[in-house]
Amino acid sequence: MAHEHLIQYTCQQVGTFFPGMDPTVLQGIIAHHWDATMARLQACIDKVKMWPQGQFNHLNSSQYCQYLYFLSNTIWREDRGGEALGVATRLFLLNKALNGIDLFYEIAMPDVFFIGHSVGIVLAKATYGNYLVLYQNCTVGKNHGVAPVLGDGVIMYPNSAIIGRCRIGANTAVSQGTGVINRDTPGECMVFAGTAGELTIKAAKRPLIDDFFRH
């Protein structure tokens, strides 16, 4: 899809779900931040092994989810005026409505990340390392106002959570249904739910993150 058509497509979605903004203003703000957004998005897509390099498919829901994040975040980073903030807010809400993800535009996601399935993902204002993998119903959250710190190459499988005062070492994979709460991990490991709320941590036999990304 040509960029002018994709801009119009995005504007039509925003206007349908969240009317009330002048369409000319909406389109102008998105167009102004278009090149910076697409440069960030394409750099991310090109690192994901399962996605063809040099392409963006607006009908791939994971790619479109990440597109809406990069667009809203780029607008917020570069232009925090009243009308621009209104556009960023609408794009955040559109992403939530279309893809079931709670990913606020102020959150600093890494340059390269991959969303397997977006539904049910909730992300707090935490520290996210590069080469992050997220699957459905995973949560990164604060506990008593303290947010986790995730190293590079963290994988969160479905229904996993990282909450509170956690330092998650590089190349940690959190298994399905496992919650890491106020705990650290050493990295280069897989984390499983143990008994009585404890965790079982096993050394990774190989870097699982290599299954997802080009380096």
Side-chain angles (χ1 to χ4, degrees), residues 139-166:
T139 299
V140 176
K142 295 181 179 180
N143 186 23
H144 298 291
V146 180
V149 176
L150 280 63
D152 291 346
V154 171
I155 303 171
M156 297 186 68
Y157 285 107
N159 300 302
S160 63
I162 299 172
I163 307 291
R165 194 181 299 278
C166 303

PDB file of all heavy atoms in Angstrom, residues 139-166:
ATOM      1  N   THR A 139       2.127  -9.816  30.913  1.00  0.00           N
ATOM      2  CA  THR A 139       2.013  -8.557  31.645  1.00  0.00           C
ATOM      3  C   THR A 139       3.375  -8.148  32.197  1.00  0.00           C
ATOM      4  O   THR A 139       4.086  -8.973  32.771  1.00  0.00           O
ATOM      5  CB  THR A 139       1.032  -8.696  32.827  1.00  0.00           C
ATOM      6  OG1 THR A 139      -0.264  -9.044  32.333  1.00  0.00           O
ATOM      7  CG2 THR A 139       0.944  -7.398  33.622  1.00  0.00           C
ATOM      8  N   VAL A 140       3.709  -6.887  32.028  1.00  0.00           N
ATOM      9  CA  VAL A 140       4.823  -6.272  32.745  1.00  0.00           C
ATOM     10  C   VAL A 140       4.208  -5.161  33.583  1.00  0.00           C
ATOM     11  O   VAL A 140       3.576  -4.248  33.046  1.00  0.00           O
ATOM     12  CB  VAL A 140       5.890  -5.712  31.787  1.00  0.00           C
ATOM     13  CG1 VAL A 140       6.990  -5.004  32.575  1.00  0.00           C
ATOM     14  CG2 VAL A 140       6.470  -6.820  30.916  1.00  0.00           C
ATOM     15  N   GLY A 141       4.349  -5.247  34.901  1.00  0.00           N
ATOM     16  CA  GLY A 141       3.656  -4.302  35.755  1.00  0.00           C
ATOM     17  C   GLY A 141       4.469  -3.824  36.938  1.00  0.00           C
ATOM     18  O   GLY A 141       5.488  -4.427  37.314  1.00  0.00           O
ATOM     19  N   LYS A 142       3.999  -2.749  37.554  1.00  0.00           N
ATOM     20  CA  LYS A 142       4.632  -2.190  38.744  1.00  0.00           C
ATOM     21  C   LYS A 142       4.045  -2.830  39.999  1.00  0.00           C
ATOM     22  O   LYS A 142       2.918  -3.316  40.007  1.00  0.00           O
ATOM     23  CB  LYS A 142       4.418  -0.678  38.792  1.00  0.00           C
ATOM     24  CG  LYS A 142       5.083   0.087  37.664  1.00  0.00           C
ATOM     25  CD  LYS A 142       4.846   1.586  37.811  1.00  0.00           C
ATOM     26  CE  LYS A 142       5.533   2.366  36.697  1.00  0.00           C
ATOM     27  NZ  LYS A 142       5.319   3.831  36.817  1.00  0.00           N
ATOM     28  N   ASN A 143       4.839  -2.776  41.070  1.00  0.00           N
ATOM     29  CA  ASN A 143       4.381  -3.182  42.397  1.00  0.00           C
ATOM     30  C   ASN A 143       4.820  -2.106  43.374  1.00  0.00           C
ATOM     31  O   ASN A 143       6.017  -1.848  43.514  1.00  0.00           O
ATOM     32  CB  ASN A 143       4.965  -4.543  42.772  1.00  0.00           C
ATOM     33  CG  ASN A 143       4.404  -5.071  44.079  1.00  0.00           C
ATOM     34  OD1 ASN A 143       3.321  -4.681  44.508  1.00  0.00           O
ATOM     35  ND2 ASN A 143       5.150  -5.941  44.732  1.00  0.00           N
ATOM     36  N   HIS A 144       3.843  -1.453  43.998  1.00  0.00           N
ATOM     37  CA  HIS A 144       4.133  -0.324  44.887  1.00  0.00           C
ATOM     38  C   HIS A 144       4.969   0.733  44.170  1.00  0.00           C
ATOM     39  O   HIS A 144       5.885   1.323  44.745  1.00  0.00           O
ATOM     40  CB  HIS A 144       4.840  -0.798  46.157  1.00  0.00           C
ATOM     41  CG  HIS A 144       4.026  -1.752  46.981  1.00  0.00           C
ATOM     42  ND1 HIS A 144       2.877  -1.366  47.661  1.00  0.00           N
ATOM     43  CD2 HIS A 144       4.178  -3.084  47.218  1.00  0.00           C
ATOM     44  CE1 HIS A 144       2.370  -2.405  48.295  1.00  0.00           C
ATOM     45  NE2 HIS A 144       3.140  -3.465  48.040  1.00  0.00           N
ATOM     46  N   GLY A 145       4.638   0.948  42.902  1.00  0.00           N
ATOM     47  CA  GLY A 145       5.284   1.992  42.122  1.00  0.00           C
ATOM     48  C   GLY A 145       6.632   1.629  41.539  1.00  0.00           C
ATOM     49  O   GLY A 145       7.253   2.456  40.861  1.00  0.00           O
ATOM     50  N   VAL A 146       7.117   0.407  41.780  1.00  0.00           N
ATOM     51  CA  VAL A 146       8.429  -0.015  41.283  1.00  0.00           C
ATOM     52  C   VAL A 146       8.227  -0.896  40.052  1.00  0.00           C
ATOM     53  O   VAL A 146       7.473  -1.874  40.092  1.00  0.00           O
ATOM     54  CB  VAL A 146       9.224  -0.783  42.353  1.00  0.00           C
ATOM     55  CG1 VAL A 146      10.575  -1.216  41.800  1.00  0.00           C
ATOM     56  CG2 VAL A 146       9.403   0.093  43.590  1.00  0.00           C
ATOM     57  N   ALA A 147       8.926  -0.557  38.981  1.00  0.00           N
ATOM     58  CA  ALA A 147       8.781  -1.276  37.712  1.00  0.00           C
ATOM     59  C   ALA A 147       9.992  -2.163  37.460  1.00  0.00           C
ATOM     60  O   ALA A 147      11.105  -1.868  37.903  1.00  0.00           O
ATOM     61  CB  ALA A 147       8.616  -0.291  36.560  1.00  0.00           C
ATOM     62  N   PRO A 148       9.807  -3.248  36.717  1.00  0.00           N
ATOM     63  CA  PRO A 148      10.918  -4.152  36.406  1.00  0.00           C
ATOM     64  C   PRO A 148      11.924  -3.542  35.431  1.00  0.00           C
ATOM     65  O   PRO A 148      11.620  -2.582  34.712  1.00  0.00           O
ATOM     66  CB  PRO A 148      10.227  -5.363  35.765  1.00  0.00           C
ATOM     67  CG  PRO A 148       8.777  -5.219  36.065  1.00  0.00           C
ATOM     68  CD  PRO A 148       8.526  -3.759  36.212  1.00  0.00           C
ATOM     69  N   VAL A 149      13.095  -4.155  35.398  1.00  0.00           N
ATOM     70  CA  VAL A 149      14.120  -3.843  34.408  1.00  0.00           C
ATOM     71  C   VAL A 149      14.398  -5.133  33.636  1.00  0.00           C
ATOM     72  O   VAL A 149      14.831  -6.131  34.222  1.00  0.00           O
ATOM     73  CB  VAL A 149      15.413  -3.332  35.075  1.00  0.00           C
ATOM     74  CG1 VAL A 149      16.501  -3.110  34.023  1.00  0.00           C
ATOM     75  CG2 VAL A 149      15.140  -2.047  35.852  1.00  0.00           C
ATOM     76  N   LEU A 150      14.150  -5.110  32.340  1.00  0.00           N
ATOM     77  CA  LEU A 150      14.333  -6.280  31.487  1.00  0.00           C
ATOM     78  C   LEU A 150      15.589  -6.099  30.641  1.00  0.00           C
ATOM     79  O   LEU A 150      15.759  -5.067  29.980  1.00  0.00           O
ATOM     80  CB  LEU A 150      13.127  -6.492  30.558  1.00  0.00           C
ATOM     81  CG  LEU A 150      11.876  -7.165  31.136  1.00  0.00           C
ATOM     82  CD1 LEU A 150      11.260  -6.336  32.258  1.00  0.00           C
ATOM     83  CD2 LEU A 150      10.842  -7.395  30.031  1.00  0.00           C
ATOM     84  N   GLY A 151      16.466  -7.096  30.656  1.00  0.00           N
ATOM     85  CA  GLY A 151      17.643  -7.062  29.818  1.00  0.00           C
ATOM     86  C   GLY A 151      17.320  -7.391  28.372  1.00  0.00           C
ATOM     87  O   GLY A 151      16.154  -7.573  27.993  1.00  0.00           O
ATOM     88  N   ASP A 152      18.344  -7.490  27.549  1.00  0.00           N
ATOM     89  CA  ASP A 152      18.159  -7.819  26.134  1.00  0.00           C
ATOM     90  C   ASP A 152      17.744  -9.286  25.977  1.00  0.00           C
ATOM     91  O   ASP A 152      18.148 -10.157  26.754  1.00  0.00           O
ATOM     92  CB  ASP A 152      19.460  -7.596  25.354  1.00  0.00           C
ATOM     93  CG  ASP A 152      19.840  -6.131  25.241  1.00  0.00           C
ATOM     94  OD1 ASP A 152      18.987  -5.262  25.522  1.00  0.00           O
ATOM     95  OD2 ASP A 152      20.999  -5.845  24.880  1.00  0.00           O
ATOM     96  N   GLY A 153      16.945  -9.527  24.950  1.00  0.00           N
ATOM     97  CA  GLY A 153      16.621 -10.898  24.581  1.00  0.00           C
ATOM     98  C   GLY A 153      15.675 -11.613  25.518  1.00  0.00           C
ATOM     99  O   GLY A 153      15.708 -12.838  25.617  1.00  0.00           O
ATOM    100  N   VAL A 154      14.802 -10.883  26.198  1.00  0.00           N
ATOM    101  CA  VAL A 154      13.830 -11.511  27.090  1.00  0.00           C
ATOM    102  C   VAL A 154      12.637 -12.010  26.277  1.00  0.00           C
ATOM    103  O   VAL A 154      12.123 -11.310  25.405  1.00  0.00           O
ATOM    104  CB  VAL A 154      13.371 -10.525  28.183  1.00  0.00           C
ATOM    105  CG1 VAL A 154      12.192 -11.085  28.977  1.00  0.00           C
ATOM    106  CG2 VAL A 154      14.524 -10.195  29.113  1.00  0.00           C
ATOM    107  N   ILE A 155      12.207 -13.230  26.568  1.00  0.00           N
ATOM    108  CA  ILE A 155      11.039 -13.827  25.920  1.00  0.00           C
ATOM    109  C   ILE A 155       9.964 -14.044  26.973  1.00  0.00           C
ATOM    110  O   ILE A 155      10.218 -14.672  28.002  1.00  0.00           O
ATOM    111  CB  ILE A 155      11.382 -15.177  25.263  1.00  0.00           C
ATOM    112  CG1 ILE A 155      12.513 -15.021  24.246  1.00  0.00           C
ATOM    113  CG2 ILE A 155      10.141 -15.775  24.592  1.00  0.00           C
ATOM    114  CD1 ILE A 155      13.039 -16.350  23.712  1.00  0.00           C
ATOM    115  N   MET A 156       8.770 -13.532  26.727  1.00  0.00           N
ATOM    116  CA  MET A 156       7.630 -13.747  27.612  1.00  0.00           C
ATOM    117  C   MET A 156       6.591 -14.572  26.868  1.00  0.00           C
ATOM    118  O   MET A 156       5.918 -14.077  25.958  1.00  0.00           O
ATOM    119  CB  MET A 156       7.052 -12.412  28.078  1.00  0.00           C
ATOM    120  CG  MET A 156       8.021 -11.569  28.904  1.00  0.00           C
ATOM    121  SD  MET A 156       7.250 -10.076  29.597  1.00  0.00           S
ATOM    122  CE  MET A 156       6.119 -10.815  30.796  1.00  0.00           C
ATOM    123  N   TYR A 157       6.485 -15.825  27.265  1.00  0.00           N
ATOM    124  CA  TYR A 157       5.529 -16.719  26.627  1.00  0.00           C
ATOM    125  C   TYR A 157       4.122 -16.434  27.151  1.00  0.00           C
ATOM    126  O   TYR A 157       3.943 -15.660  28.105  1.00  0.00           O
ATOM    127  CB  TYR A 157       5.954 -18.165  26.859  1.00  0.00           C
ATOM    128  CG  TYR A 157       7.138 -18.565  25.998  1.00  0.00           C
ATOM    129  CD1 TYR A 157       8.405 -18.734  26.547  1.00  0.00           C
ATOM    130  CD2 TYR A 157       6.985 -18.735  24.622  1.00  0.00           C
ATOM    131  CE1 TYR A 157       9.498 -19.085  25.749  1.00  0.00           C
ATOM    132  CE2 TYR A 157       8.070 -19.084  23.820  1.00  0.00           C
ATOM    133  CZ  TYR A 157       9.319 -19.260  24.387  1.00  0.00           C
ATOM    134  OH  TYR A 157      10.386 -19.592  23.588  1.00  0.00           O
ATOM    135  N   PRO A 158       3.059 -17.015  26.545  1.00  0.00           N
ATOM    136  CA  PRO A 158       1.683 -16.668  26.913  1.00  0.00           C
ATOM    137  C   PRO A 158       1.400 -16.784  28.407  1.00  0.00           C
ATOM    138  O   PRO A 158       1.887 -17.698  29.082  1.00  0.00           O
ATOM    139  CB  PRO A 158       0.849 -17.673  26.113  1.00  0.00           C
ATOM    140  CG  PRO A 158       1.681 -17.977  24.910  1.00  0.00           C
ATOM    141  CD  PRO A 158       3.090 -17.978  25.419  1.00  0.00           C
ATOM    142  N   ASN A 159       0.619 -15.811  28.888  1.00  0.00           N
ATOM    143  CA  ASN A 159       0.150 -15.787  30.281  1.00  0.00           C
ATOM    144  C   ASN A 159       1.275 -15.645  31.310  1.00  0.00           C
ATOM    145  O   ASN A 159       1.093 -15.987  32.479  1.00  0.00           O
ATOM    146  CB  ASN A 159      -0.674 -17.040  30.601  1.00  0.00           C
ATOM    147  CG  ASN A 159      -1.885 -17.167  29.714  1.00  0.00           C
ATOM    148  OD1 ASN A 159      -2.730 -16.278  29.669  1.00  0.00           O
ATOM    149  ND2 ASN A 159      -1.970 -18.263  28.972  1.00  0.00           N
ATOM    150  N   SER A 160       2.413 -15.142  30.897  1.00  0.00           N
ATOM    151  CA  SER A 160       3.490 -14.904  31.847  1.00  0.00           C
ATOM    152  C   SER A 160       3.436 -13.460  32.337  1.00  0.00           C
ATOM    153  O   SER A 160       2.787 -12.603  31.734  1.00  0.00           O
ATOM    154  CB  SER A 160       4.851 -15.205  31.215  1.00  0.00           C
ATOM    155  OG  SER A 160       5.104 -14.335  30.116  1.00  0.00           O
ATOM    156  N   ALA A 161       4.124 -13.213  33.455  1.00  0.00           N
ATOM    157  CA  ALA A 161       4.118 -11.873  34.036  1.00  0.00           C
ATOM    158  C   ALA A 161       5.450 -11.579  34.697  1.00  0.00           C
ATOM    159  O   ALA A 161       6.091 -12.475  35.263  1.00  0.00           O
ATOM    160  CB  ALA A 161       2.991 -11.736  35.058  1.00  0.00           C
ATOM    161  N   ILE A 162       5.854 -10.319  34.616  1.00  0.00           N
ATOM    162  CA  ILE A 162       7.029  -9.816  35.329  1.00  0.00           C
ATOM    163  C   ILE A 162       6.566  -8.571  36.075  1.00  0.00           C
ATOM    164  O   ILE A 162       6.171  -7.581  35.456  1.00  0.00           O
ATOM    165  CB  ILE A 162       8.177  -9.489  34.363  1.00  0.00           C
ATOM    166  CG1 ILE A 162       8.627 -10.737  33.596  1.00  0.00           C
ATOM    167  CG2 ILE A 162       9.355  -8.884  35.127  1.00  0.00           C
ATOM    168  CD1 ILE A 162       9.627 -10.466  32.489  1.00  0.00           C
ATOM    169  N   ILE A 163       6.588  -8.640  37.397  1.00  0.00           N
ATOM    170  CA  ILE A 163       5.947  -7.611  38.205  1.00  0.00           C
ATOM    171  C   ILE A 163       6.912  -7.108  39.274  1.00  0.00           C
ATOM    172  O   ILE A 163       7.563  -7.900  39.967  1.00  0.00           O
ATOM    173  CB  ILE A 163       4.679  -8.160  38.916  1.00  0.00           C
ATOM    174  CG1 ILE A 163       3.714  -8.813  37.913  1.00  0.00           C
ATOM    175  CG2 ILE A 163       3.981  -7.059  39.707  1.00  0.00           C
ATOM    176  CD1 ILE A 163       3.048  -7.858  36.969  1.00  0.00           C
ATOM    177  N   GLY A 164       6.980  -5.797  39.423  1.00  0.00           N
ATOM    178  CA  GLY A 164       7.640  -5.194  40.567  1.00  0.00           C
ATOM    179  C   GLY A 164       9.151  -5.101  40.459  1.00  0.00           C
ATOM    180  O   GLY A 164       9.711  -4.911  39.381  1.00  0.00           O
ATOM    181  N   ARG A 165       9.816  -5.247  41.605  1.00  0.00           N
ATOM    182  CA  ARG A 165      11.255  -5.024  41.705  1.00  0.00           C
ATOM    183  C   ARG A 165      12.005  -6.242  41.159  1.00  0.00           C
ATOM    184  O   ARG A 165      12.502  -7.084  41.913  1.00  0.00           O
ATOM    185  CB  ARG A 165      11.652  -4.753  43.161  1.00  0.00           C
ATOM    186  CG  ARG A 165      13.062  -4.183  43.340  1.00  0.00           C
ATOM    187  CD  ARG A 165      13.363  -3.969  44.813  1.00  0.00           C
ATOM    188  NE  ARG A 165      12.448  -3.019  45.417  1.00  0.00           N
ATOM    189  CZ  ARG A 165      12.570  -1.690  45.351  1.00  0.00           C
ATOM    190  NH1 ARG A 165      13.589  -1.163  44.682  1.00  0.00           N
ATOM    191  NH2 ARG A 165      11.683  -0.904  45.936  1.00  0.00           N
ATOM    192  N   CYS A 166      12.087  -6.328  39.842  1.00  0.00           N
ATOM    193  CA  CYS A 166      12.742  -7.447  39.160  1.00  0.00           C
ATOM    194  C   CYS A 166      13.851  -6.905  38.258  1.00  0.00           C
ATOM    195  O   CYS A 166      13.666  -5.878  37.591  1.00  0.00           O
ATOM    196  CB  CYS A 166      11.760  -8.212  38.265  1.00  0.00           C
ATOM    197  SG  CYS A 166      10.317  -8.871  39.081  1.00  0.00           S
TER     198      CYS A 166
END
